Amino acid sequence: MAARSGKGLLPKGLRRERGFTGGAMIGLAQNFGFHGELFVVGLYLQRQGRS
């Protein structure tokens, strides 16, 4: 197992910046929407195959 260091991938102050946080939230919402759409379309196509 690798030893941990005190450094993260991003600077700690970056999370406090409004632009970064807003962009991250927008990206998160887009990903949830896209993957949710894929899930719903998959269910729809399964349902159409039974008819």
Side-chain angles (χ1 to χ4, degrees), residues 5-22:
S5 68
K7 296 180 182 178
L9 291 175
L10 298 172
K12 290 184 180 182
L14 190 59
R15 287 180 286 175
R16 294 187 190 103
E17 290 189 26
R18 190 173 181 178
F20 178 79
T21 306

Side-chain angles (χ1 to χ4, degrees):
M1 188 184 284
R4 290 186 176 215
S5 68
K7 296 180 182 178
L9 291 175
L10 298 172
K12 290 184 180 182
L14 190 59
R15 287 180 286 175
R16 294 187 190 103
E17 290 189 26
R18 190 173 181 178
F20 178 79
T21 306
M25 291 298 136
I26 290 170
L28 183 67
Q30 286 178 335
N31 279 312
F32 271 119
F34 177 71
H35 289 93
E37 180 183 359
L38 287 177
F39 177 73
V40 171
V41 167
L43 291 177
Y44 173 76
L45 291 173
Q46 286 179 13
R47 189 107 160 122
Q48 292 301 315
R50 290 187 207 159
S51 303

